[in-house]
Amino acid sequence: MLTAARNDLLTRVGPGTPMGDLLRRYWQPIGGASELSQNPVKPIRLMGENLVLYKDRSGTFGLVDRHCPHRRADMSYGWVEDSGIRCSYHGWRYDETGACIEQPYEDTVSPKPSKAGCEIKAYPVREMAGLLWAYMGPLPAPELPEWEPFTWKNGFREIVLADVPCNWFQAQENSIDPVHFEWMHDNWSNRMKGDDGNAPKHLKLKFEEFEHGFTYKRVREGQSEEDRYWTVGRVALWPNGFYLGRHFEWRVPVDDENTLSVAWFFVRVPKGREPYVQNAVPTWKSPIKGDDGRWITSHVINQDIVAWVGQGAIADRTKEHLRSSDIGITMMRNRFFEELEAIAAGREPKGVIRDPKRARAIELPDMARELNTGGITLAEFQNDPLLRQRLREFRHHYGQPPEVRAAFAEAMGISAS
Ligand code: FES
Ligand SMILES: [Fe+2]
């Protein structure tokens, strides 16, 4: 249980809030680069700031204020040019650093080389692994971490986004919550199929901290301490991610009561299908609400979203009752409180990387590294219950578009239907 004040500290992310300051010290994934290929200008709200993401005709990405510094027109109705984005009201043009580089009427009647004072707020954007990453903190920006899975070859990757109407922190607490797999995914999925059977119980949990987050480890009925679920475990990635061996999830705050869920998936093609080169990583938006107005419950992350939004727009942690299954949650909260103090004292927070060499191919605890890097045959895929299902359908998020399914099937050498 937390006091209301401590709950506010964890959850409020607007400019100038302690947690907003902390999360701004890290590069945040904000979408897929492929989204901007179709439409190069996209309005986006991040940590309570209204912004516009764009890709100019030279391929440079920018993230600028939603409002033009001239007279506040909406930059999401601007257009991109060879360099930068131009406001559609009076044609002022800005580059990705925020510099105003053209003011057509002023340049005609009294050209001045300097347009100092007319800068638009701008944040650095980088592309990595098909994702676009933004850094909204104090400069100089730290290194953008290259997680080792981003370097894997011969894989089909896809990015799935979802707009989730609740606070980011309850979603992140789900990243360090092993027992929910048994109930929310296994047993609930059984009930939806009319099956009263229960999945293997959790018997033992362990939570550990490392530089880039926490691992949780577990033994369930039928498993032992030799199992990788205990020897390796899964990763609650600091500060707002989750890594499960074949995919990442991030919970990116839109504002205090909304979260952009960003997930990145990798499946290595079967042996014999190499070399497989994916030129662009498809990005798609997963709906979370059905036509009946209820949350969609058929897919794994949709089930998680039911938990997150069910806790309220901002979970009231003054009313909770934490028990031993929640030890990891308490560890994570305490780490956040300590890091809030660290940045208030002028120290660098946990996991920020300044050395470029240390930012390359960072290995995370990974239960499936050999499979993802060495590969297995299609027959071996078919013999593994989880992987067989992965070939048959995309169970993580509702609504995979048919063209993404077709591209996946083509990569894997299976039928699309
Ligand atoms: S408001 Fe943008 S150029 Fe005038
Ligand atoms: Fe889950």
Side-chain angles (χ1 to χ4, degrees), residues 300-314:
V300 176
I301 297 174
N302 294 83
Q303 294 173 341
D304 291 319
I305 290 171
V306 171
W308 310 343
V309 295
Q311 289 172 284
I314 300 178

Side-chain angles (χ1 to χ4, degrees), residues 68-75 87-94:
C68 177
H70 177 217
R71 279 174 39 220
R72 311 284 299 156
D74 183 346
M75 293 298 294
C87 177
S88 53
Y89 201 4
H90 313 97
W92 289 22
R93 184 161 63 99
Y94 306 91

Side-chain angles (χ1 to χ4, degrees), residues 174-175 177-178 180-182 184-185 216 234 242 244 249 251 300-305 307-308:
N174 185 209
S175 311
D177 186 344
H180 92 280
F181 281 87
E182 177 185 332
M184 170 148 266
H185 301 309
Y216 66 76
R234 283 178 165 160
F242 192 17
L244 299 94
E249 299 172 24
R251 301 72 165 82
V300 176
I301 297 174
N302 294 83
Q303 294 173 341
D304 291 319
I305 290 171
W308 310 343

